[in-house]
Amino acid sequence: MSAFLIVLDSVGCGGAPDAAAFGDEGANTLGHVAAACAAGRADAGRVGPLRMPVLDGLGLGRAVALASGLTVPFGGDGTLRGRWGAATATSAGKDTPSGHWELAGQPMRTPWTVFPDTCPAFPPALSAAIATRAGTAGILGNRRASGTEVLEDLGAEHLRTGWPICYTSADSVVQIAAHTGAFGLERLLDLCAGLAPMVHGMGVGRVIARPFDGAPGAFQRTPDRRDFAIPPPAPTLLDAVQAAGHRVEAVGKIGDIFAHRGIDRLHKGADDRALMDHLHRLAADAPDGALVMANLVEFDTLWGHRRDVAGYARALEWIDAEAGRFLSRLRFGDLVIFTADHGNDPTWHGTEHTRERVPVLAAGRGVGQIGAVAMADVGASVAAHLGVPAPGPGPGPGRSFL
């Protein structure tokens, strides 16, 4: 008996009650992607209505309707094969760590420090510290930016000057990009690791190393990204499972998100396909009582932030097919929950995450409605399945729905 908690990064389903406070009222990642597909506006590399029959069989369409009131046909046959609901965040941010920590039983109540949408965005002391640690006379960027666009804008100047490209977003983050050949991967990782304590002391959640290679006009980010994150403020589901003597297997960037705490083994990969291969293998090989927590990030990084609706639709249809293969491998007594950490509606304005509810789709524990729950209830439910003490801060969030 094991548990698989699979986070489809940014696959929200609309309807967050506080969306207006984030400028996201009406955002709905799944609903709007499906609407674009039905209208023929997402036919690049695929065609027609969005089809996700496997996850629809676990209640995906029902979860979207519950969260946002929107009826979306996902191509299922109408037969319910799992349990479904929609989860609401209570954390102060709509960033990746906040979403994952809350799913693992620890809502982030205190707002993160976010840098202003100005140029320069960073305070002078931080800019100077980056340059000093990099051994350069200055930094490039110093503003909010898209990670791919900033390479197009500043990659050539980075090669000429050797200065690191530093930028932020609406999330609480410092991102530093550098060319692996000209600047060096280890030098970049050392720079970010050394800077992290100062940045964390400012209340900023993450320093992200963004290595890239290639030449002007053809720069590409490499798979060697590293996140240097603040540890969760209190024990999470991962800590609870590990403390109970069970193994925690982390797939994708889960290790970085949880500051490598409460994890026994990491499973990394160059892309989501490689990470899904790990999940297929772990469906057969995970030790009894293990927690396998995975983050599939490309919905967010490749398609959501780039506002690529067709790409997002292709990724959704791909994960649905993979989910069918994965479910066929589960052993008797295993639980799998597919969910998300926030939204990133590719039809929305800007390039940032969107505040949304997230679907909660469970297989292995019967059939029926979970209903409207808190995101922290996901972690409590996994803990209940594994028979370990639930993480979470007292009454309210952190109640099992199993």
Side-chain angles (χ1 to χ4, degrees):
M1 180 184 73
S2 299
F4 297 81
L5 180 53
I6 301 176
V7 183
L8 311 181
D9 201 306
S10 85
V11 182
C13 54
D18 58 355
F22 293 82
D24 295 330
E25 188 173 18
N28 189 331
T29 300
L30 280 163
H32 289 164
V33 171
C37 291
R41 299 194 305 270
D43 285 350
R46 57 165 308 282
V47 66
L50 184 64
R51 291 190 53 80
M52 301 180 67
V54 174
L55 294 180
D56 196 44
L58 298 183
L60 182 62
R62 294 170 172 87
V64 174
L66 175 65
S68 62
L70 187 65
T71 299
V72 179
F74 287 106
D77 63 7
T79 302
L80 187 61
R81 300 175 176 86
R83 301 187 64 190
W84 60 273
T88 301
T90 61
S91 293
K94 54 180 179 177
D95 54 280
T96 293
S98 292
H100 282 74
W101 294 359
E102 187 160 359
L103 289 169
Q106 287 296 344
M108 182 67 182
R109 305 297 193 186
T110 305
W112 298 102
T113 298
V114 176
F115 295 107
D117 191 8
T118 58
C119 187
F122 302 133
L126 177 57
S127 300
I130 298 172
T132 297
R133 287 189 171 275
T136 59
I139 64 173
L140 302 175
N142 204 346
R143 65 177 190 265
R144 291 189 184 182
S146 157
T148 51
E149 292 176 0
V150 79
L151 298 187
E152 296 174 7
D153 294 343
L154 298 173
E157 189 174 356
H158 165 72
L159 292 179
R160 181 178 61 81
T161 64
W163 293 9
I165 302 171
C166 306
Y167 60 103
T168 186
S169 70
D171 287 347
S172 180
V173 65
V174 175
Q175 305 200 59
I176 304 180
H179 194 278
T180 55
F183 192 90
L185 175 60
E186 291 305 317
R187 181 183 172 197
L188 172 62
L189 296 178
D190 289 346
L191 166 62
C192 293
L195 189 69
M198 176 184 181
V199 172
H200 295 164
M202 300 167 64
V204 176
R206 288 180 293 170
V207 179
I208 302 179
R210 291 285 196 178
F212 68 97
D213 57 19
F219 290 124
Q220 293 286 335
R221 296 198 293 200
T222 75
D224 299 307
R225 162 184 170 163
R226 280 283 304 276
D227 292 35
F228 299 87
I230 293 179
T236 69
L237 171 67
L238 286 68
D239 298 303
V241 172
Q242 193 178 62
H246 302 299
R247 287 188 65 82
V248 177
E249 309 276 348
V251 179
K253 55 187 256 185
I254 294 298
D256 289 342
I257 293 169
F258 287 89
H260 299 274
R261 200 180 75 190
I263 294 169
D264 292 294
R265 186 166 53 167
L266 295 171
H267 306 269
K268 304 288 280 187
D271 53 25
D272 279 358
R273 292 181 182 275
L275 299 181
M276 200 67 218
D277 287 342
H278 287 308
L279 282 171
H280 289 312
R281 175 177 49 79
L282 287 165
D285 296 344
D288 186 52
L291 167 64
V292 178
M293 188 171 184
N295 169 276
L296 300 180
V297 73
E298 291 180 346
F299 302 97
D300 187 59
T301 57
L302 296 187
W303 317 118
H305 285 301
R306 299 182 188 185
R307 296 302 189 250
D308 185 334
V309 181
Y312 211 112
R314 293 194 303 271
L316 289 171
E317 291 175 336
W318 168 78
I319 194 57
D320 192 75
E322 293 294 321
R325 292 177 54 209
F326 179 77
L327 292 171
S328 71
R329 289 173 161 82
L330 290 182
R331 300 163 296 189
F332 179 78
D334 285 348
L335 168 71
V336 58
I337 296 177
F338 294 94
T339 187
D341 52 344
H342 50 70
N344 199 347
D345 187 341
T347 73
W348 205 242
H349 56 79
T351 62
E352 303 298 341
H353 296 158
T354 43
R355 182 73 158 190
E356 302 179 40
R357 288 187 169 113
V358 298
V360 179
L361 310 175
R365 290 296 297 263
V367 174
Q369 180 173 340
I370 292 168
V373 298
M375 285 176 68
D377 294 346
V378 174
S381 302
V382 173
H385 175 76
L386 294 175
V388 305
R399 296 178 178 178
S400 174
F401 49 69
L402 296 180

